[in-house]
Amino acid sequence: MEKRYNESKKVIIITITLNVILTILKIASGVIGKSSSIIADGLHSASDIITSIAVFIGSKISKKPKDAKHQYGHERSETIVSFILSSMLIIVALGIGMKGVMILFNPSKIETPTKLPLIMAVISIFIKEYQYRITIKAAKKINSEALKADAWHHRSDALSSIAAFIGIGGAIIGFKILDPLASIVVALFVSKVGVDILLKSANELMDLSIGKEYEDKIISIAKNTQGVEDILDLRTRKYGSMAYVDLVICVDKNLTVYKGHDIASNLEDIILKNMDFIKGITVHVEPY
């Protein structure tokens, strides 16, 4: 757990530092360069700072060992953080979208932006894509859903910067309405990612299974384990970055209790060795 925490901490510190710089530069360039879309993009980057801190807190809590009140550990804190993160994304999207719509209904207030926010949008695209890549790499390495959610937040920011670039560029060449339109497009990008993460987190909080691919692997391992005659039932549930498994197998009815227990223990060891994200497994034995 300490290794997972350190890996997460390293990436989050990098992304928070970059996001603080981006937020200041985007909002400043938007105010000076008269661009509503780059200001909206700056607010998006500001939300990245908050969510990255939330992921860091979730990662820190999840590494705590089990205790009397939390006998399965604290990994589900990552799922809760992902749920909060996605809710924040949706709120940010609504705010950005509403502001863009309000500007569209007041075309007289639309100003032609300068080249400064255009340059800032290009810089943001490259930095946010870099953040996405290092974060998703770390998320896959430690199997962290919260970190994956944070990575997609960075990717959505890169996409919103592209939209801002198009809107600002169009406004500069004479189509002023494209700048507030771009801020609405930014809102759509952000809300789509937010809804996807929200649904996934909600499913995990309701004990989502680990999926057919991994369940088939468990069944395959069980069928190829000496002494296992049949499989009666398999239930799995995600628990943050980890998972729990309940498996019912059949063994020869003439075996002793000791021998049946030995087969079950051996199967548990094999599954845990081959699937390191499984935190706990219970194998129940029935007579064949």
Side-chain angles (χ1 to χ4, degrees), residues 88-138:
M88 290 175 65
L89 274 174
I90 295 169
I91 292 169
V92 169
L94 290 173
I96 293 171
M98 286 297 292
K99 189 172 182 180
V101 171
M102 288 172 68
I103 293 173
L104 282 179
F105 281 103
N106 293 277
S108 60
K109 293 185 178 181
I110 301 175
E111 299 180 283
T112 303
T114 66
K115 290 181 181 179
L116 178 61
L118 188 70
I119 295 169
M120 191 61 242
V122 174
I123 295 171
S124 175
I125 291 166
F126 285 103
I127 292 178
K128 296 309 297 186
E129 183 61 22
Y130 167 72
Q131 287 180 289
Y132 166 78
R133 290 177 183 272
I134 62 171
T135 307
I136 199 68
K137 182 180 179 181

Side-chain angles (χ1 to χ4, degrees), residues 141-152:
K141 185 177 180 180
I142 64 175
N143 192 35
S144 170
E145 291 300 326
L147 209 55
K148 285 179 185 177
D150 201 34
W152 280 105

Side-chain angles (χ1 to χ4, degrees), residues 21 30 60-63 73 83 94 97 100 107 111 132 157 162 181 184 189 210 213-214 229 233 239 242-243 259 261:
I21 296 169
K60 188 175 180 67
I61 294 171
S62 70
K63 76 176 186 132
F83 188 89
L94 290 173
E111 299 180 283
Y132 166 78
D157 209 356
I162 292 173
L181 275 176
I184 296 172
F189 277 127
I210 61 175
E213 179 185 352
Y214 291 120
E229 301 291 344
D233 190 27
Y239 194 81
M242 309 300 281
K259 185 59 181 176
H261 175 267

Side-chain angles (χ1 to χ4, degrees), residues 174-245:
F175 301 98
K176 291 197 297 182
I177 200 170
L178 287 180
D179 190 43
L181 275 176
S183 66
I184 296 172
V185 172
V186 169
L188 292 174
F189 277 127
V190 179
S191 60
K192 172 64 169 63
V193 174
V195 170
D196 288 345
I197 298 171
L198 182 69
L199 292 175
K200 193 172 187 300
S201 301
N203 276 326
E204 286 189 20
L205 289 172
M206 293 188 291
D207 288 335
L208 180 73
S209 74
I210 61 175
K212 188 175 185 302
E213 179 185 352
Y214 291 120
E215 289 184 345
D216 286 346
K217 185 175 180 179
I218 292 171
I219 292 171
S220 176
I221 291 172
K223 285 182 176 178
N224 288 286
T225 299
Q226 187 175 2
V228 177
E229 301 291 344
D230 197 8
I231 299 165
L232 282 184
D233 190 27
L234 170 63
R235 288 180 294 173
T236 64
R237 58 189 173 95
K238 294 197 71 176
Y239 194 81
S241 59
M242 309 300 281
Y244 283 93
V245 176

